[in-house]
Amino acid sequence: MKITDIQLGHISIPLKKPFKTALRTVNSVEDVVVKIITDTGHIGYGEAPPTGVITGDTTGSIIGAIEEPIKKHLIGLEIESFEEIMLKLQKSLVKNTSAKAAIDIALYDLFGQLYQAPLYKLLGGYRKEIITDITISVNDPEQMAKDSLEAMNLGYKTLKIKVGKDANIDIIRMKAIREAVGYDIDLRIDANQGWKPKEAVYFLRKMEDAGINIEFVEQPVAAYDFEGLKFVTDNISIPVLADESIFSPMDAAKIIQMRAADLINIKLMKTGGIYNALKICALAETYGVECMIGCMLESKISVTAAVHLAAAKSIITKIDLDGPILCSEDPIEGGARFDEYKITLSDEPGLGFKKIQGVVFK
Ligand SMILES: C[C@H](N)C(=O)N[C@@H](CCC(=O)O)C(=O)O
Ligand SMILES: [Mg+2]
């Protein structure tokens, strides 16, 4: 199975509601889609979102990275020589993790098809069904309480609450949400780097004292501020999860060795795909640090790859793969099946895609 061509397309899907975090507001998924074609007629699909505020990647940079260095390094290679392909992909240029992830995902799709097995089984086959949280965008407290109740009524047991815009109001937001949903729902919060270390400790302690009961806090401080992250971890009893601070396996090793966070958020768009995500899983497992798997604003193509990884690995104990659920439509036939919070994999080979509607590949 030899790679003969790599083509690109664009997927555009309006969201059900605007997605709002401390970093940005978005109304639709606007992602680059990758199609890798082989001489056997097999096709692998991947996807990359331009999440510039987190990864630094834009639509233009993703397309440029793939059309120039990546394509040149991969055409003509055999999927059988998987390790060689992965090394060439990762070494074709530095950074550009979203472009690498889209290609890595399409290659793993082909890898599964080559051996006629669903990817999650080839990677470990731990389970075939997982349960995701759903994100509540940062808004005024009344709106967030209403959105949380709506999610609870759809059956979600875990809500990921976006905060980090103004710590004084964040407390009011969290009180309003806890009051609305009661204590049978787990609340995890994501500040998306919005607080300063001392501010984070002050307000998180206030939330603890108010009995809001928070499962964990995600990325309270700036991505680069490992010391600040450690300061928060050392000074509150709520577990701290590192998201934007960890892109590479090296970042993960550093955060773990510093004890700067209690938990790690793996996202394929930060690691550059499954190949490096597996290294983070191995590191985390070695040190007994549980992982969450997350996503950006992604459709079902790349999120299906994340579902396969999560289904394969027991160290991934927390799931934030709500990208496709936030979308108002699903133009992808096949892949993971989303029934609100329940995500199930089929036993189709690779990632199991059948058809991607409305995307023109060139
Ligand atoms: C969509 C997911 N639940 C999420 O919140 N992901 C990110 C932000 C993604 C984005 O801005 O596209 C996160 O910070 O965890
Ligand atoms: Mg996050």
Side-chain angles (χ1 to χ4, degrees):
M1 194 185 278
K2 189 184 281 189
I3 300 171
T4 55
D5 199 10
I6 299 179
Q7 297 180 355
L8 299 180
H10 178 84
I11 196 165
S12 176
I13 313 176
L15 297 178
K16 289 176 187 159
K17 296 178 185 175
F19 177 80
K20 298 185 190 173
T21 73
L23 291 171
R24 65 184 193 141
T25 297
V26 194
N27 293 300
S28 59
V29 163
E30 301 289 346
D31 293 358
V32 177
V33 182
V34 163
K35 181 175 174 180
I36 302 187
I37 301 164
T38 64
D39 62 347
T40 53
H42 292 88
I43 288 171
Y45 289 105
E47 174 185 359
T51 319
V53 290
I54 296 177
T55 58
D57 300 332
T58 63
T59 301
S61 75
I62 294 166
I63 294 172
I66 296 172
E67 280 181 344
E68 282 292 321
I70 294 179
K71 195 166 172 178
K72 192 174 75 197
H73 281 89
L74 300 192
I75 300 287
L77 297 184
E78 294 281 351
I79 298 297
E80 282 86 343
S81 307
F82 204 69
E83 178 78 358
E84 182 197 349
I85 299 185
M86 285 296 149
L87 293 175
K88 286 207 164 132
L89 169 61
Q90 293 301 330
K91 286 180 181 162
S92 60
L93 76 171
V94 298
K95 302 187 191 280
N96 289 279
T97 51
S98 307
K100 287 176 185 164
I103 296 288
D104 163 289
I105 289 167
L107 290 166
Y108 272 98
D109 187 11
L110 288 167
F111 184 64
Q113 292 177 50
L114 175 66
Y115 295 107
Q116 282 293 302
L119 185 62
Y120 80 96
K121 285 202 176 163
L122 291 176
L123 298 179
Y126 182 61
R127 57 199 154 182
K128 68 182 295 185
E129 187 184 296
I130 55 175
I131 304 290
T132 184
D133 63 15
I134 189 162
T135 306
I136 305 298
S137 284
V138 59
N139 275 305
D140 63 54
E142 296 72 31
Q143 183 63 47
M144 289 178 79
K146 191 167 162 271
D147 290 345
S148 300
L149 255 183
E150 203 177 283
M152 184 178 99
N153 291 333
L154 287 169
Y156 290 91
K157 294 270 179 255
T158 306
L159 308 181
K160 165 156 152 164
I161 313 294
K162 291 290 186 182
V163 290
K165 282 211 118 168
D166 174 334
N168 280 301
I169 302 176
D170 286 337
I171 291 212
I172 303 170
R173 292 183 168 106
M174 291 312 298
K175 279 186 181 162
I177 293 169
R178 182 50 91 199
E179 221 164 82
V181 301
Y183 280 84
D184 288 342
I185 300 294
D186 285 331
L187 300 181
R188 42 185 70 161
I189 60 177
D190 187 357
N192 283 107
Q193 312 178 54
W195 299 323
K196 299 273 176 281
K198 282 189 178 172
E199 182 187 31
V201 170
Y202 178 77
F203 284 101
L204 287 164
R205 280 190 182 165
K206 278 201 156 197
M207 288 189 203
E208 284 182 81
D209 293 346
I212 291 167
N213 199 1
I214 292 163
E215 183 196 2
F216 62 77
V217 55
E218 183 171 338
Q219 200 63 45
V221 301
Y224 66 83
D225 190 4
F226 286 19
E227 295 291 345
L229 193 63
K230 181 170 170 53
F231 176 79
V232 179
T233 302
D234 286 345
N235 285 286
I236 57 167
S237 51
I238 300 169
V240 173
L241 177 142
D243 181 7
E244 289 95 316
S245 290
I246 298 183
F247 273 54
S248 66
M250 297 279 268
D251 296 332
K254 199 162 180 195
I255 292 280
I256 290 173
Q257 278 166 359
M258 284 176 70
R259 295 181 183 268
D262 304 291
L263 301 158
I264 291 173
N265 189 352
I266 298 175
K267 286 187 189 147
L268 300 182
M269 297 304 142
K270 296 185 297 166
T271 59
I274 294 171
Y275 184 72
N276 277 340
L278 287 168
K279 294 184 195 168
I280 297 184
C281 287
L283 256 168
E285 205 156 21
T286 307
Y287 284 89
V289 174
E290 288 179 29
C291 297
M292 177 157 95
I293 186 134
C295 61
M296 306 293 185
L297 279 184
E298 299 165 43
S299 83
K300 212 173 72 182
I301 304 171
S302 48
V303 174
T304 290
V307 174
H308 276 266
L309 178 64
K313 294 287 156 199
S314 60
I315 196 68
I316 298 175
T317 56
K318 297 169 197 310
I319 315 287
D320 174 35
L321 294 179
D322 58 349
I325 301 161
L326 305 175
C327 291
S328 62
E329 55 201 56
D330 176 15
I332 297 121
E333 256 177 60
R337 188 188 151 132
F338 286 76
D339 299 308
E340 294 294 350
Y341 53 90
K342 190 160 78 169
I343 312 176
T344 320
L345 287 172
S346 75
D347 280 341
E348 292 291 324
L351 299 178
F353 299 121
K354 298 206 180 325
K355 201 168 153 194
I356 299 183
Q357 284 162 3
V359 176
V360 180
F361 290 95
K362 280 192 255 175

